[in-house]
Amino acid sequence: MPDGVSPETGDAPRDVVESLVRRGMAARRAEQADEAMRHMKAAVALARFGEDPVALARALHGQANVERDMGRTRAALDLYLEAVPLCRRGDDPLVHAHTVRHLGDVLREMGDFNKARRCYAEALVLYRADPAAPPLDVANAVRSAAILCEALDEADQAGQLWREAHDLYREAGVEAGVAESSARLGRLD
């Protein structure tokens, strides 16, 4: 049994699962997909022993991200779909917002624009309601919604969202996001 897990109860403390997720994220950033997947699968397996919906949602979300990196969109979709209801039961609005946004991204990529729109709307409500939401996270969600509006030929709405993304990326100090937002706005004019 992994360290930090009580064999009598099967309780997996959030910090043990979170440690595995962080290791998986580090491996993902280092482009070590197999290593990232190993950590994320271990986090999911461990989190399933516990009764912490947020820990399981984070682990599922992490594994879904790696599945996307590996081009396994359907597997990612299934994991996000399992994670979102857990997020809704949990106590972490930012985990909820991240997970719903990523679900929206997969749905958009698969061409299910109506469901993607609902996901982005939910994510943006959560991000905008949380004063602690990092500007980069909010910018990424706004960017996703803007891309969807462009795909739906909703130029006015896309323009509003790209202006918001531009300001948020500037606040976050992400020049690539500022440049992309400016370029997209230029094409909409």
Side-chain angles (χ1 to χ4, degrees):
M1 181 113 338
D3 290 340
V5 178
S6 166
E8 297 82 26
T9 64
D11 288 339
R14 186 182 287 189
D15 59 338
V16 176
V17 172
E18 186 62 31
S19 175
L20 287 166
V21 170
R22 279 194 305 274
R23 284 188 233 156
M25 289 169 53
R28 185 175 176 234
R29 281 190 298 275
E31 298 182 14
Q32 299 170 339
D34 291 337
E35 181 75 4
M37 185 62 78
R38 186 175 68 77
H39 289 300
M40 294 305 186
K41 283 185 173 184
V44 168
L46 185 59
R48 288 194 191 282
F49 281 105
E51 295 183 21
D52 184 341
V54 172
L56 180 55
R58 287 260 306 136
L60 290 164
H61 183 164
Q63 184 179 341
N65 289 344
V66 178
E67 295 285 2
R68 278 182 77 195
D69 294 345
M70 298 173 110
R72 298 192 292 242
T73 306
R74 184 65 214 192
L77 176 66
D78 291 342
L79 291 163
Y80 290 131
L81 286 170
E82 183 181 354
V84 167
L86 295 168
C87 290
R88 289 181 180 135
R89 289 186 11 228
D91 59 0
D92 191 326
L94 290 180
V95 169
H96 183 171
H98 297 327
T99 305
V100 173
R101 178 180 65 88
H102 284 143
L103 173 59
D105 290 342
V106 169
L107 290 166
R108 187 190 75 232
E109 291 163 9
M110 295 175 85
D112 196 337
F113 294 162
N114 288 329
K115 288 182 183 173
R117 182 190 301 273
R118 288 193 300 270
C119 288
Y120 295 147
E122 182 177 352
L124 287 171
V125 165
L126 291 163
Y127 281 124
R128 290 173 174 153
D130 189 340
L136 179 57
D137 291 339
V138 182
N140 288 337
V142 172
R143 175 187 182 273
S144 292
I147 290 170
L148 177 64
C149 287
E150 282 187 21
L152 294 170
D153 293 323
E154 297 172 354
D156 290 341
Q157 182 66 26
Q160 290 173 9
L161 291 165
W162 281 118
R163 280 187 283 285
E164 182 181 357
H166 177 275
D167 294 345
L168 289 162
Y169 281 125
R170 175 163 283 145
E171 182 181 344
V174 178
E175 288 308 312
V178 171
E180 179 191 23
S181 300
S182 295
R184 297 274 194 152
L185 282 165
R187 284 196 298 262
L188 289 172
D189 289 338

